[in-house]
Amino acid sequence: MQIRDKKDNESEDYILQENKKTKFGATFIAIILIIIIAVVAMTGVYFDYW
């Protein structure tokens, strides 16, 4: 998987492009994953698994 360079206008087969949608999507997914990990950890503490 490659990230498209702004200077490379010849190739169009890149999955990730460097634009606002890609940056927002990657940030959103990262935040959701962090929230899920925190919730799982808090659940383990609450039920005395850790």
Side-chain angles (χ1 to χ4, degrees), residues 2-16:
Q2 299 173 340
I3 298 175
R4 182 173 179 242
D5 188 13
K6 289 182 180 180
K7 299 173 186 172
D8 182 17
N9 293 327
E10 296 176 8
S11 180
E12 296 180 3
D13 61 342
Y14 293 100
I15 295 173
L16 297 176

Side-chain angles (χ1 to χ4, degrees), residues 6-43:
K6 289 182 180 180
K7 299 173 186 172
D8 182 17
N9 293 327
E10 296 176 8
S11 180
E12 296 180 3
D13 61 342
Y14 293 100
I15 295 173
L16 297 176
Q17 297 183 1
E18 194 169 331
N19 57 18
K20 289 182 181 179
K21 285 184 184 179
T22 305
K23 290 179 182 179
F24 174 76
T27 305
F28 183 74
I29 290 171
I31 291 171
I32 295 298
L33 287 175
I34 290 170
I35 290 172
I36 290 173
I37 291 169
V39 168
V40 169
M42 286 188 287
T43 304

